[in-house]
Amino acid sequence: MQLFNLFPLTVLQDSIRIEDHERIKLVNEIKKMRNEVKEEKKSNYAWTGDTKGHEFLFSNTTFKNISHKISEVIKEYLKALSINIEMLDIYYQRSWATYTENEQSINFHTHSQSNISFAYYLLKSPGAGGIIFRSNELQNEIAKNIFTSSKIEKSLINKPNPYNSDRSMFDLDQDSIIIFPSKTPHATMPNKSGKLRVSISGDITIMLKDSKGFEHLMPSFNNWTKFN
Ligand SMILES: [Fe+2]
């Protein structure tokens, strides 16, 4: 007997080592952004720079080294999908920090305006909260809602595995990076470490250097015509 798993969702994990002095410098820079606005009451949700006016983190030269290292891993992700990166212009469309204090988390969302997204864990202790991916299109859903957690509780599903689950969690160590298609719904588990969790996230847009003969991928914006 042989089982085939067709049409997978591909998530890449790797690690990027940085020196402690660089980590401290980057965390301090992010703390400055976070502390620009003091909140009256602590939120249940993490602070995310993308919606707080800090969505272009990598235009700050302090982040040049880390953005370069992340670029190298993003290219590996594209290569894993067997995409010819020589034909592409690749951009960080947005990049930002997330700042998660104890008990805070991030709800399910997608980054539908881009192609590839990532999270790099700049500061993360054990228990600080993993990332969960969810699928809304379950290829193996032979009966509606058969794979919900209640079916596990009622022993209809013996054991959750990649064939019968609508979600999967990665609880990675500090210095890990995780890369995934931007359209994938994802969330973070609550930070239960009692310590600050800081990640760097970003959205990547790819476009064709030369779009001649191509219909679907975005043509280079160098050839776009702006309204006047
Ligand atoms: Fe996200």
Side-chain angles (χ1 to χ4, degrees):
M1 190 191 84
Q2 209 174 349
L3 284 174
F4 296 93
N5 288 298
L6 311 180
F7 316 119
L9 169 71
T10 303
V11 171
L12 183 152
Q13 182 211 325
D14 202 349
S15 54
I16 295 175
R17 302 269 169 241
I18 59 168
E19 301 286 336
D20 279 342
H21 67 87
E22 184 177 3
R23 188 184 320 281
I24 292 164
K25 193 171 67 169
L26 300 184
V27 169
N28 285 341
E29 196 75 9
I30 292 164
K31 277 184 178 167
K32 265 196 277 172
M33 296 170 202
R34 169 64 189 89
N35 293 328
E36 272 176 11
V37 180
K38 278 266 175 278
E39 277 159 14
E40 305 262 306
K41 186 168 147 268
K42 197 182 150 199
S43 169
N44 291 330
Y45 304 111
W47 179 92
T48 63
D50 55 333
T51 57
K52 301 291 190 307
H54 293 286
E55 73 273 38
F56 302 117
L57 196 71
F58 290 168
S59 61
N60 178 334
T61 52
T62 312
F63 293 86
K64 193 173 174 187
N65 180 46
I66 191 70
S67 71
H68 177 71
K69 287 180 170 173
I70 291 170
S71 306
E72 293 305 308
V73 193
I74 301 285
K75 285 193 244 172
E76 291 305 317
Y77 182 78
L78 285 160
K79 285 183 200 164
L81 302 186
S82 209
I83 294 172
N84 181 0
I85 60 171
E86 299 299 316
M87 295 175 73
L88 301 178
D89 281 331
I90 310 171
Y91 286 85
Y92 288 112
Q93 176 204 94
R94 303 192 301 172
S95 47
W96 64 93
T98 75
Y99 192 98
T100 310
E101 293 175 272
N102 204 39
E103 298 296 338
Q104 292 182 328
S105 61
I106 300 173
N107 286 342
F108 274 106
H109 62 283
T110 63
H111 301 212
S112 51
Q113 86 300 339
S114 64
N115 301 118
I116 298 167
S117 298
F118 70 87
Y120 168 70
Y121 300 109
L122 181 63
L123 200 66
K124 188 170 181 283
S125 308
I131 185 167
I132 314 164
F133 294 102
R134 189 182 72 195
S135 173
N136 296 331
E137 295 167 42
L138 297 173
Q139 311 277 25
N140 293 344
E141 193 183 45
I142 54 174
K144 196 70 191 158
N145 295 330
I146 194 173
F147 298 144
T148 57
S149 55
S150 69
K151 305 298 188 299
I152 299 165
E153 286 154 24
K154 290 174 186 165
S155 302
L156 178 66
I157 303 294
N158 288 323
K159 195 177 165 206
N161 68 26
Y163 306 159
N164 64 24
S165 302
D166 71 343
R167 56 196 68 198
S168 186
M169 206 261 287
F170 289 74
D171 195 2
L172 304 176
D173 294 336
Q174 178 169 291
D175 279 339
S176 297
I177 180 169
I178 192 151
I179 303 173
F180 50 96
S182 299
K183 66 187 178 199
T184 314
H186 58 283
T188 65
M189 297 289 286
N191 180 355
K192 298 280 186 190
S193 68
K195 292 180 184 151
L196 177 64
R197 174 193 192 276
V198 179
S199 73
I200 295 173
S201 283
D203 290 334
I204 286 117
T205 286
I206 57 172
M207 55 188 78
L208 285 160
K209 286 178 182 165
D210 179 1
S211 52
K212 191 176 176 192
F214 284 91
E215 186 177 3
H216 295 293
L217 190 57
M218 188 183 285
S220 170
F221 63 61
N222 291 327
N223 299 318
W224 296 9
T225 307
K226 192 177 181 182
F227 278 28
N228 54 28

